[in-house]
Amino acid sequence: MEKYGHFVDGKWIEAGEIIPVTNKYTGDTYGEIYEADESIVNKAVQNAYESFEKNELSAEDRFTILNKAVTLIDERKLELAELLIYEAGKTRKDAVTEIERGISTLRASAEEAKRITGQGVALPNSADKGKLAFTVRVPVGVVVAITPFNFPFNLTVHKIGPALAAGNAVVLKPAEMTPLIACKLVEIFKEAGLPDGLFNLVNGRGTQTGEYLLKNNLVDMYTFTGSPKVGQLIKSKTGIRKVALELGNNSPNIVHKDVDDLKRAAELCVSRGFSNAGQACISVQRIYVHEEVYDQFLKYATEFTKSLVLCSEDNPDGDVGPVISEREATRIESWIEEAVQQGAKIIVGGQRKRSQFEPTILADVSQSMKVVCEEIFGPVITIQKYQDIDDVLHKANDSTMGLQVGIFTSNIQIVMKSIKKLKFGGVIVNNVSTYREDVMPYGGVKNSGIGKEGPKYAILEMTEEKLIVLDA
């Protein structure tokens, strides 16, 4: 059992209340962390600020350090994946995939470290003769990264990689339910040659450690992935400082009657609704199927769902693992029970054993049901039929969130209409809402957040554009 404190100036500090980290398959204690109090948080931020001021790494230095970290992670890929299986309740294939994606994200961040450029500014006024204007991009300074439990490696790398590539100092607060993989990561960066203090880590709950981070005036930017409720709280407390928020969604996916391959569409919707036990912001949740292909789609979806294998502690090689806690599994169960009382029908699944929840399909649902209009964050998908494309586009937009949406059709006019009408940060055509390449600009509208992830785009968020005017 591993125990971690707080990583400040290249050293571990053991201080604060001990918080257990559980094995998500069994609920047993798997590791422990200490919770940072205000003095530890302020020490970590102060050290990051001082380290930023005294360490000005060249683009080549940042590129080299990030690539060294990539090499070290790749060498330890299976060891790190094993940690993710039990700390986060991953299936083996999901754990390995997450580490591999994190490697790709870091590699892309390393490449972008060499591509941070400004631009020339035209001065057309005749009075400006003899003047030259251009911009440069400079790091914001101290970036606080607050990361979630569902992808505790790759989503952490999505913040740390671009922040360091841009030349910032970072203070990381990982989710208290899945902190161990982040503690491994900070050690890897030290081994990769990152100067002490440029990457500090404080452990603890958001309600304590997170609050202390929000109060510290030396922080220049906050980047957060999590719930809309917490995102709104962060934005309300950070004043005019920079904030990037990747928040929730209840992803709609539309399957029109002219889809080229209905079986493929059904299997994509099901597999991406249940991968990572449905715990992803862009997991398939709402599926709208044209009435002419609804019955066949439901048949394909049901058959594929029944073929999925539940994982266990002894066999993490299946298809669906547990959700993050028994408390969350109980919440999901209560949402389904409420939907059934309101008229929904369980087509397959619906049963819970501790934190393990069967992959579940609900039909006969309505827009007002919680399983449709809110983010369930579990292995549950809902299927509704529709007649008119304009009506279903309206239903897809009928949400306070707007991260990504999928639509399957072979009609280019419907594609063009959907691109214009759908109010989402990403519109995925002939694939599901869950599709993401880590170099893409990724971010939502409405309550799904502000700012973009993806190394190139995150670096723009984590730098300032400074104007330079030379007067001869």
Side-chain angles (χ1 to χ4, degrees):
M1 185 173 69
E2 296 187 85
K3 181 183 291 188
Y4 284 100
H6 321 288
F7 196 76
V8 180
D9 201 25
K11 305 176 188 67
W12 287 105
I13 301 172
E14 294 185 352
E17 177 189 344
I18 291 177
I19 301 175
V21 180
T22 60
N23 178 323
K24 302 308 183 290
Y25 281 93
T26 66
D28 298 331
T29 299
Y30 185 69
E32 292 178 335
I33 56 170
Y34 291 87
E35 181 161 45
D37 61 16
E38 190 166 12
S39 66
I40 293 290
V41 168
N42 289 343
K43 183 176 182 178
V45 175
Q46 179 73 36
N47 179 251
Y49 172 80
E50 293 172 357
S51 299
F52 172 75
E53 291 294 316
K54 72 180 182 183
N55 290 291
E56 188 173 350
L57 299 178
S58 69
E60 184 65 27
D61 290 337
R62 287 174 264 141
F63 170 80
T64 300
I65 291 167
L66 287 164
N67 266 332
K68 177 61 175 176
V70 165
T71 299
L72 293 171
I73 293 166
D74 195 35
E75 290 171 353
R76 302 170 194 177
K77 178 169 66 176
L78 296 182
E79 169 197 340
L80 294 171
E82 192 76 10
L83 176 58
L84 275 183
I85 289 170
Y86 299 107
E87 179 184 28
K90 301 274 181 178
T91 67
R92 190 179 305 280
K93 61 185 176 184
D94 283 346
V96 171
T97 297
E98 182 170 348
I99 301 299
E100 290 174 342
R101 285 183 60 187
I103 289 170
S104 296
T105 302
L106 265 186
R107 186 176 288 118
S109 298
E111 291 293 334
E112 291 298 333
K114 301 183 294 183
R115 300 172 182 162
I116 301 172
T117 61
Q119 57 184 337
V121 178
L123 299 175
N125 195 314
S126 60
D128 293 326
K129 287 181 180 179
K131 297 181 179 65
L132 177 66
F134 58 93
T135 65
V136 295
R137 298 207 74 90
V138 297
V140 296
V142 177
V143 175
V144 162
I146 304 174
T147 55
F149 69 78
N150 57 330
F151 292 95
F153 185 77
N154 190 37
L155 292 187
T156 297
V157 166
H158 262 289
K159 300 182 185 304
I160 302 305
L164 295 177
N168 297 293
V170 182
V171 179
L172 169 66
K173 194 208 83 67
E176 66 269 21
M177 291 183 284
T178 54
L180 303 181
I181 194 75
C183 295
K184 297 288 187 185
L185 184 62
V186 75
E187 291 178 331
I188 286 171
F189 268 95
K190 180 178 175 66
E191 188 176 343
L194 185 69
D196 291 342
L198 290 182
F199 185 5
N200 292 338
L201 179 150
V202 290
N203 276 310
R205 302 176 182 90
T207 51
Q208 177 170 306
T209 306
E211 285 285 342
Y212 296 142
L213 286 166
L214 294 178
K215 287 169 59 178
N216 193 295
N217 290 325
L218 289 178
V219 178
D220 297 289
M221 178 179 178
Y222 296 86
T223 173
F224 168 77
T225 297
S227 71
K229 180 179 178 181
V230 176
Q232 289 168 359
L233 175 69
I234 290 172
K235 195 168 187 300
S236 71
K237 292 193 172 187
T238 51
I240 59 174
R241 287 177 288 179
K242 297 192 80 171
V243 175
L245 304 174
E246 297 297 334
L247 308 176
N249 198 33
N250 55 351
S251 304
N253 289 263
I254 300 165
V255 182
H256 200 52
K257 61 183 178 181
D258 59 7
V259 58
D260 280 339
D261 188 336
L262 185 64
K263 185 177 182 181
R264 171 182 174 270
E267 292 184 355
L268 274 173
C269 285
V270 169
S271 62
R272 298 302 180 263
F274 301 143
S275 60
N276 206 52
Q279 298 171 119
C281 296
I282 45 178
S283 286
V284 174
Q285 181 174 334
R286 297 184 282 155
I287 308 175
Y288 299 96
V289 184
H290 193 275
E291 61 181 5
E292 291 184 20
V293 294
Y294 175 86
D295 290 340
Q296 188 62 46
F297 180 95
L298 190 59
K299 178 176 180 292
Y300 287 143
T302 302
E303 290 172 351
F304 190 84
T305 301
K306 288 179 177 179
S307 74
L308 298 175
V309 176
L310 291 176
C311 291
S312 66
E313 181 188 22
D314 299 326
N315 177 30
D317 293 310
D319 302 301
V320 183
V323 295
I324 195 64
S325 67
E326 188 166 355
R327 176 182 175 182
E328 285 301 300
T330 302
R331 174 192 59 80
I332 293 165
E333 185 177 44
S334 70
W335 284 25
I336 291 174
E337 289 172 353
E338 179 182 288
V340 169
Q341 291 170 2
Q342 294 171 346
K345 180 181 179 182
I346 298 174
I347 303 300
V348 62
Q351 298 299 309
R352 177 182 71 85
K353 183 179 181 181
R354 296 196 300 271
S355 59
Q356 186 90 50
F357 209 96
E358 290 181 346
T360 302
I361 295 176
L362 297 176
D364 298 340
V365 295
S366 63
Q367 287 289 104
S368 62
M369 291 179 182
K370 197 178 291 183
V371 293
V372 175
C373 67
E374 297 186 27
E375 183 177 29
I376 197 162
F377 223 64
V380 180
I381 59 178
T382 65
I383 304 179
Q384 300 182 57
K385 67 174 67 173
Y386 73 91
Q387 293 179 321
D388 179 71
I389 191 67
D390 291 309
D391 177 60
V392 79
L393 294 177
H394 173 76
K395 284 185 175 179
N397 285 333
D398 184 20
S399 173
T400 60
M401 295 173 279
L403 187 47
Q404 289 194 171
V405 56
I407 180 165
F408 293 82
T409 178
S410 58
N411 187 320
I412 190 62
Q413 292 179 327
I414 290 177
V415 170
M416 297 305 291
K417 177 183 285 190
S418 300
I419 290 170
K420 291 178 182 178
K421 297 290 186 182
L422 288 169
K423 298 175 182 178
F424 291 82
V427 178
I428 315 299
V429 180
N430 288 323
N431 210 307
V432 287
S433 59
T434 321
Y435 179 79
R436 182 182 182 185
E437 291 288 342
D438 291 294
V439 296
M440 287 166 35
Y442 176 78
V445 299
K446 298 187 280 188
N447 285 349
S448 285
I450 53 176
K452 297 290 184 185
E453 284 191 346
K456 174 182 177 180
Y457 307 94
I459 285 172
L460 293 177
E461 303 284 348
M462 296 175 175
T463 54
E464 300 281 8
E465 189 170 34
K466 180 183 289 188
L467 173 67
I468 312 297
V469 179
L470 303 179
D471 191 336

